[in-house]
Amino acid sequence: SMHSWVNREALAPRADRLAHSCSYLDLPREWLGGDFIAEAELLKQTNPRAYRHVYLGEITGSDRQVFDNLRIGPISQEEIDQCDRTLCGLDFGFAADPDAFIRAHHDPRTGRITVLDEFCAVRTPVETLCAEVARRCGGAVVRCDSAEPRMIRELRERGVQALGAKKGPGSVQHGLRWLQERSEICIDPARCPNAAREFAGYEYPDDGNGGIVPEAPDRDNHLIDA
């Protein structure tokens, strides 16, 4: 599970960290023996997901993961330069919840979403929030949580094209389903660490009996809401 502490730690960018990856494929076959190779090949054919997890060390997720279409990893500047359709969202914080701004690119042809920038902070002064959003949105329309019309007005007065998002019954679940149906959601953890952590760690809750509650939790989802 990406929610595991060691995987969350791996997503946190640090300049002094050396990351090394290897698998049995990097070793001489004679070190492993025929039985080991045969078992690996059999699992590869019968259960590819288990094979990728057990033998390649990939984070394949659990049955509880809300988004199984994530690509968490470096995004080159060349890829970013090709993102010409910018969409921005802002979820306002309350009490201990952070204000969360996200800027992304959606390619309707491929169904790929590329997260380009984020801002996430608790108890942000109005002036600071407006300045951060204005600096990051690049003049694009910012669709905001419509429950805060005063904050939307503050953003407009400071030159941000802020609009309240239309909401209705089931709109949250509809939005999650739309995200799940994209071909990929690409996030660079060095550029957007909060989005990488939030999307990767978003899981359906356990029902207490070994099953899954098929409804996404309303917590730790601020940038997802944005």
Side-chain angles (χ1 to χ4, degrees):
S1 169
M2 186 67 83
H3 200 59
S4 168
W5 72 268
V6 69
N7 294 326
R8 292 202 310 269
E9 177 69 16
L11 284 176
R14 284 184 52 168
D16 61 347
R17 171 175 288 144
L18 173 65
H20 171 70
S21 299
C22 69
S23 75
Y24 79 101
L25 297 175
D26 301 298
L27 301 176
R29 294 174 71 90
E30 59 269 21
W31 287 14
L32 303 172
D35 289 346
F36 183 96
I37 299 296
E39 289 179 9
E41 289 300 316
L42 178 61
L43 189 62
K44 183 178 181 179
Q45 295 174 18
T46 58
N47 191 336
R49 180 177 177 181
Y51 165 79
R52 286 165 44 223
H53 171 60
V54 175
Y55 286 97
L56 303 184
E58 293 183 14
I59 303 168
T60 55
S62 65
D63 291 336
R64 294 171 52 194
Q65 195 166 1
V66 175
F67 300 109
D68 58 8
N69 56 346
L70 295 178
R71 177 163 70 87
I72 306 292
I75 299 175
S76 68
Q77 187 60 48
E78 182 181 1
E79 287 181 86
I80 291 176
D81 291 341
Q82 294 175 357
C83 295
D84 57 353
R85 189 168 183 266
T86 297
L87 303 170
C88 299
L90 176 61
D91 184 51
F92 295 115
F94 178 76
D97 291 337
D99 295 301
F101 167 85
I102 200 165
R103 181 167 66 90
H105 171 263
H106 176 237
D107 186 337
R109 181 176 55 84
T110 63
R112 180 184 295 116
I113 291 176
T114 304
V115 178
L116 303 172
D117 200 2
E118 67 170 34
F119 175 75
C120 193
V122 178
R123 296 189 179 91
T124 317
V126 174
E127 293 78 8
T128 302
L129 178 61
C130 292
E132 289 287 348
V133 171
R135 182 168 66 87
R136 296 169 189 272
C137 72
V141 171
V142 180
R143 301 196 180 275
C144 309
D145 181 356
S146 55
E148 290 283 354
R150 184 182 65 82
M151 287 299 300
I152 293 173
R153 187 171 63 252
E154 294 278 0
L155 286 162
R156 286 177 178 170
E157 289 176 354
R158 288 165 173 79
V160 176
Q161 296 187 69
L163 297 176
K166 295 180 181 179
K167 292 184 179 181
S171 60
V172 172
Q173 294 304 317
H174 174 77
L176 284 174
R177 187 166 62 251
W178 186 85
L179 288 170
Q180 290 171 322
E181 291 171 351
R182 299 308 93 193
S183 61
E184 271 189 321
I185 300 175
C186 307
I187 308 174
D188 187 334
R191 296 176 182 270
C192 303
N194 293 298
R197 173 189 54 77
E198 202 175 275
F199 274 84
Y202 201 47
E203 297 184 342
Y204 295 108
D206 194 317
D207 66 2
N209 297 309
I212 297 173
V213 178
E215 186 173 333
D218 188 19
R219 64 176 183 274
D220 299 326
N221 58 344
H222 311 292
L223 286 159
I224 294 170
D225 282 350

